[in-house]
Short mmCIF file of all heavy atoms in Angstrom, two decimals:
data_model
loop_
_atom_site.label_atom_id
_atom_site.label_comp_id
_atom_site.label_asym_id
_atom_site.label_seq_id
_atom_site.Cartn_x
_atom_site.Cartn_y
_atom_site.Cartn_z
N ILE A 228 16.18 238.88 239.66
CA ILE A 228 16.27 238.78 241.12
C ILE A 228 15.06 238.11 241.76
O ILE A 228 15.14 237.67 242.92
CB ILE A 228 16.51 240.16 241.76
CG1 ILE A 228 15.30 241.09 241.58
CG2 ILE A 228 17.76 240.81 241.18
CD1 ILE A 228 15.44 242.43 242.30
N ASP A 229 13.94 237.99 241.03
CA ASP A 229 12.76 237.33 241.60
C ASP A 229 12.71 235.84 241.28
O ASP A 229 11.79 235.14 241.71
CB ASP A 229 11.48 237.99 241.08
CG ASP A 229 11.27 239.38 241.67
OD1 ASP A 229 11.84 239.66 242.75
OD2 ASP A 229 10.54 240.19 241.07
N ASP A 230 13.69 235.35 240.52
CA ASP A 230 13.76 233.92 240.25
C ASP A 230 13.89 233.16 241.59
O ASP A 230 14.71 233.54 242.42
CB ASP A 230 14.97 233.62 239.35
CG ASP A 230 15.00 232.18 238.86
OD1 ASP A 230 15.09 231.27 239.71
OD2 ASP A 230 14.96 231.97 237.63
N PRO A 231 13.09 232.12 241.80
CA PRO A 231 13.14 231.39 243.08
C PRO A 231 14.53 230.84 243.42
O PRO A 231 14.85 230.65 244.60
CB PRO A 231 12.14 230.24 242.87
CG PRO A 231 11.23 230.71 241.79
CD PRO A 231 12.06 231.59 240.89
N GLU A 232 15.35 230.60 242.40
CA GLU A 232 16.68 230.04 242.65
C GLU A 232 17.74 231.13 242.82
O GLU A 232 18.90 230.81 243.12
CB GLU A 232 17.08 229.13 241.48
CG GLU A 232 16.15 227.94 241.28
CD GLU A 232 16.52 227.15 240.04
OE1 GLU A 232 17.56 227.44 239.43
OE2 GLU A 232 15.76 226.24 239.68
N PHE A 233 17.34 232.39 242.67
CA PHE A 233 18.34 233.45 242.67
C PHE A 233 18.99 233.68 244.03
O PHE A 233 20.21 233.77 244.15
CB PHE A 233 17.73 234.76 242.16
CG PHE A 233 18.67 235.93 242.30
CD1 PHE A 233 19.68 236.13 241.38
CD2 PHE A 233 18.58 236.79 243.39
CE1 PHE A 233 20.58 237.17 241.52
CE2 PHE A 233 19.47 237.85 243.54
CZ PHE A 233 20.47 238.03 242.60
N TRP A 234 18.18 233.84 245.10
CA TRP A 234 18.74 234.20 246.40
C TRP A 234 19.73 233.15 246.92
O TRP A 234 20.82 233.52 247.39
CB TRP A 234 17.61 234.44 247.41
CG TRP A 234 18.10 234.80 248.78
CD1 TRP A 234 17.98 234.05 249.92
CD2 TRP A 234 18.81 235.98 249.17
NE1 TRP A 234 18.55 234.69 250.99
CE2 TRP A 234 19.06 235.88 250.56
CE3 TRP A 234 19.24 237.12 248.49
CZ2 TRP A 234 19.74 236.87 251.28
CZ3 TRP A 234 19.92 238.10 249.20
CH2 TRP A 234 20.15 237.98 250.58
N PRO A 235 19.42 231.85 246.82
CA PRO A 235 20.44 230.86 247.23
C PRO A 235 21.73 230.98 246.43
O PRO A 235 22.83 230.81 246.97
CB PRO A 235 19.75 229.51 246.97
CG PRO A 235 18.30 229.82 247.05
CD PRO A 235 18.15 231.20 246.47
N TRP A 236 21.61 231.28 245.14
CA TRP A 236 22.80 231.47 244.29
C TRP A 236 23.59 232.70 244.73
O TRP A 236 24.80 232.64 244.88
CB TRP A 236 22.35 231.61 242.84
CG TRP A 236 23.46 231.86 241.86
CD1 TRP A 236 24.29 230.93 241.29
CD2 TRP A 236 23.85 233.13 241.31
NE1 TRP A 236 25.17 231.53 240.41
CE2 TRP A 236 24.93 232.88 240.41
CE3 TRP A 236 23.41 234.44 241.47
CZ2 TRP A 236 25.56 233.91 239.69
CZ3 TRP A 236 24.03 235.46 240.76
CH2 TRP A 236 25.09 235.18 239.88
N TYR A 237 22.89 233.79 244.97
CA TYR A 237 23.53 235.04 245.36
C TYR A 237 24.27 234.88 246.69
O TYR A 237 25.41 235.35 246.84
CB TYR A 237 22.46 236.13 245.46
CG TYR A 237 22.91 237.46 246.00
CD1 TYR A 237 23.56 238.38 245.19
CD2 TYR A 237 22.65 237.82 247.32
CE1 TYR A 237 23.96 239.62 245.68
CE2 TYR A 237 23.04 239.05 247.82
CZ TYR A 237 23.70 239.94 247.01
OH TYR A 237 24.09 241.16 247.51
N THR A 238 23.64 234.25 247.66
CA THR A 238 24.28 234.09 248.96
C THR A 238 25.45 233.10 248.89
O THR A 238 26.35 233.16 249.73
CB THR A 238 23.27 233.59 250.01
OG1 THR A 238 22.65 232.39 249.56
CG2 THR A 238 22.21 234.66 250.26
N LYS A 239 25.42 232.21 247.91
CA LYS A 239 26.51 231.24 247.76
C LYS A 239 27.75 231.86 247.13
O LYS A 239 28.88 231.56 247.54
CB LYS A 239 26.03 230.06 246.91
CG LYS A 239 27.06 228.93 246.80
CD LYS A 239 26.48 227.74 246.05
CE LYS A 239 27.48 226.58 246.03
NZ LYS A 239 26.93 225.39 245.35
N ILE A 240 27.56 232.74 246.14
CA ILE A 240 28.72 233.26 245.40
C ILE A 240 29.26 234.57 245.95
O ILE A 240 30.39 234.94 245.65
CB ILE A 240 28.40 233.43 243.90
CG1 ILE A 240 27.44 234.61 243.68
CG2 ILE A 240 27.87 232.14 243.30
CD1 ILE A 240 27.51 235.22 242.31
N THR A 241 28.48 235.30 246.74
CA THR A 241 28.93 236.59 247.26
C THR A 241 29.23 236.47 248.76
O THR A 241 28.74 235.57 249.43
CB THR A 241 27.87 237.70 247.07
OG1 THR A 241 26.79 237.48 248.00
CG2 THR A 241 27.33 237.72 245.65
N PRO A 242 30.01 237.40 249.30
CA PRO A 242 30.29 237.39 250.74
C PRO A 242 29.25 238.15 251.56
O PRO A 242 29.58 238.77 252.57
CB PRO A 242 31.66 238.07 250.82
CG PRO A 242 31.65 239.05 249.70
CD PRO A 242 30.84 238.40 248.59
N ILE A 243 27.98 238.15 251.13
CA ILE A 243 26.95 238.93 251.80
C ILE A 243 26.80 238.52 253.27
O ILE A 243 26.57 239.36 254.14
CB ILE A 243 25.59 238.82 251.06
CG1 ILE A 243 24.54 239.73 251.70
CG2 ILE A 243 25.11 237.37 251.01
CD1 ILE A 243 24.86 241.20 251.64
N GLU A 244 26.98 237.22 253.56
CA GLU A 244 26.88 236.76 254.96
C GLU A 244 27.91 237.46 255.83
O GLU A 244 27.63 237.84 256.98
CB GLU A 244 27.08 235.25 255.02
CG GLU A 244 27.14 234.72 256.45
CD GLU A 244 27.56 233.25 256.51
OE1 GLU A 244 27.62 232.59 255.45
OE2 GLU A 244 27.83 232.78 257.63
N HIS A 245 29.09 237.66 255.31
CA HIS A 245 30.18 238.26 256.08
C HIS A 245 30.09 239.79 256.09
O HIS A 245 30.43 240.43 257.08
CB HIS A 245 31.52 237.78 255.52
CG HIS A 245 31.58 236.29 255.40
ND1 HIS A 245 31.78 235.48 256.49
CD2 HIS A 245 31.41 235.47 254.33
CE1 HIS A 245 31.75 234.21 256.10
NE2 HIS A 245 31.54 234.19 254.80
N ILE A 246 29.61 240.36 254.99
CA ILE A 246 29.35 241.80 254.96
C ILE A 246 28.33 242.17 256.03
O ILE A 246 28.44 243.21 256.68
CB ILE A 246 28.85 242.23 253.55
CG1 ILE A 246 30.01 242.13 252.54
CG2 ILE A 246 28.27 243.63 253.58
CD1 ILE A 246 29.57 242.33 251.09
N SER A 247 27.36 241.28 256.25
CA SER A 247 26.32 241.55 257.26
C SER A 247 26.88 241.61 258.67
O SER A 247 26.23 242.13 259.58
CB SER A 247 25.23 240.48 257.18
OG SER A 247 25.71 239.23 257.64
N ARG A 248 28.10 241.09 258.86
CA ARG A 248 28.72 241.08 260.19
C ARG A 248 29.86 242.09 260.33
O ARG A 248 30.48 242.17 261.39
CB ARG A 248 29.22 239.67 260.50
CG ARG A 248 28.11 238.64 260.53
CD ARG A 248 28.63 237.24 260.80
NE ARG A 248 27.57 236.25 260.70
CZ ARG A 248 26.71 235.95 261.68
NH1 ARG A 248 26.81 236.58 262.84
NH2 ARG A 248 25.77 235.05 261.51
N LEU A 249 30.13 242.83 259.28
CA LEU A 249 31.18 243.85 259.37
C LEU A 249 30.74 245.00 260.28
O LEU A 249 29.61 245.49 260.14
CB LEU A 249 31.50 244.41 257.98
CG LEU A 249 32.36 243.55 257.06
CD1 LEU A 249 32.36 244.15 255.65
CD2 LEU A 249 33.79 243.46 257.57
N PRO A 250 31.59 245.45 261.19
CA PRO A 250 31.21 246.54 262.11
C PRO A 250 31.46 247.90 261.46
O PRO A 250 32.26 248.70 261.95
CB PRO A 250 32.13 246.31 263.31
CG PRO A 250 33.37 245.73 262.69
CD PRO A 250 32.91 244.89 261.51
N ILE A 251 30.76 248.19 260.35
CA ILE A 251 31.06 249.43 259.63
C ILE A 251 29.86 250.31 259.40
O ILE A 251 29.99 251.39 258.85
CB ILE A 251 31.70 249.12 258.25
CG1 ILE A 251 30.74 248.28 257.40
CG2 ILE A 251 33.04 248.43 258.42
CD1 ILE A 251 31.21 248.10 255.96
N ALA A 252 28.68 249.87 259.77
CA ALA A 252 27.48 250.62 259.39
C ALA A 252 26.74 251.16 260.60
O ALA A 252 26.83 250.61 261.70
CB ALA A 252 26.54 249.74 258.56
N SER A 253 25.99 252.23 260.38
CA SER A 253 25.18 252.79 261.46
C SER A 253 23.87 252.02 261.61
O SER A 253 23.20 252.12 262.63
CB SER A 253 24.86 254.26 261.16
OG SER A 253 24.17 254.38 259.94
N ARG A 254 23.52 251.24 260.58
CA ARG A 254 22.30 250.44 260.63
C ARG A 254 22.64 249.01 260.24
O ARG A 254 23.58 248.77 259.49
CB ARG A 254 21.24 251.01 259.67
CG ARG A 254 20.75 252.39 260.04
CD ARG A 254 19.70 252.87 259.08
NE ARG A 254 20.22 253.04 257.74
CZ ARG A 254 19.47 253.35 256.68
NH1 ARG A 254 18.18 253.49 256.80
NH2 ARG A 254 20.02 253.51 255.49
N PRO A 255 21.86 248.03 260.70
CA PRO A 255 22.14 246.65 260.31
C PRO A 255 21.90 246.43 258.82
O PRO A 255 21.15 247.17 258.17
CB PRO A 255 21.13 245.84 261.14
CG PRO A 255 20.05 246.80 261.48
CD PRO A 255 20.70 248.13 261.61
N VAL A 256 22.55 245.40 258.26
CA VAL A 256 22.41 245.08 256.85
C VAL A 256 20.97 244.78 256.48
O VAL A 256 20.48 245.17 255.43
CB VAL A 256 23.31 243.87 256.50
CG1 VAL A 256 22.93 243.27 255.15
CG2 VAL A 256 24.77 244.31 256.48
N SER A 257 20.29 244.08 257.36
CA SER A 257 18.90 243.72 257.14
C SER A 257 18.00 244.52 258.07
O SER A 257 18.38 244.86 259.19
CB SER A 257 18.68 242.22 257.39
OG SER A 257 17.31 241.90 257.40
#
């Protein structure tokens, strides 16, 4: 997870951007 290329890869293949906008949590994703 500390590989410099990891975060761009993770955000590209997972729906994390859209999970961050789901109205389901008591606290923000970030």
Side-chain angles (χ1 to χ4, degrees):
I228 67 175
D229 289 338
D230 188 298
E232 299 174 8
F233 173 80
W234 180 247
W236 178 82
Y237 174 81
T238 55
K239 185 175 184 178
I240 71 156
T241 73
I243 185 63
E244 174 189 350
H245 308 284
I246 290 171
S247 70
R248 298 178 185 277
L249 283 169
I251 60 172
S253 59
R254 295 182 296 174
V256 165
S257 170

